[in-house]
Amino acid sequence: MPSLYETLRRKVEAAPTPSRKGGARADLGLVLFDAQDALHALWVAADRCTCSDVPALDDLARAVEALRPLFGTPVEEEP
């Protein structure tokens, strides 16, 4: 099953031009806006890991877990 992000992204790709207020494009924007702190934490942790900083792996694991509901947890698709 696709994640929430994959589901919304597929809907945006199906209708790439915004035809009305709201819709999948707005939903995706809201979801990513809501996850902005977790996305930033993920970037910071990943950047630290590129410097071979072993303790940064704990930060990276926490950041990944914070984003799991968005990118990893399958959602029910609408018919």
Side-chain angles (χ1 to χ4, degrees), residues 15-47:
T17 57
S19 58
R20 62 183 170 93
K21 269 193 159 166
R25 183 178 297 272
D27 291 344
L28 183 58
L30 289 171
V31 165
L32 292 174
F33 181 81
D34 189 47
Q36 65 182 306
D37 291 336
L39 286 167
H40 182 257
L42 179 61
W43 186 88
V44 169
D47 185 51

Side-chain angles (χ1 to χ4, degrees), residues 3-77:
S3 68
L4 174 60
Y5 173 82
E6 292 166 330
T7 300
L8 291 173
R9 186 72 186 133
R10 192 172 323 134
K11 288 180 181 181
V12 168
E13 288 172 358
T17 57
S19 58
R20 62 183 170 93
K21 269 193 159 166
R25 183 178 297 272
D27 291 344
L28 183 58
L30 289 171
V31 165
L32 292 174
F33 181 81
D34 189 47
Q36 65 182 306
D37 291 336
L39 286 167
H40 182 257
L42 179 61
W43 186 88
V44 169
D47 185 51
R48 287 181 59 210
C49 287
T50 61
C51 299
S52 299
D53 184 2
V54 176
L57 293 177
D58 292 336
D59 293 342
L60 185 58
R62 279 192 296 277
V64 166
E65 287 307 312
L67 290 169
R68 189 170 304 284
L70 177 59
F71 293 106
T73 304
V75 297
E76 293 286 328
E77 284 200 49

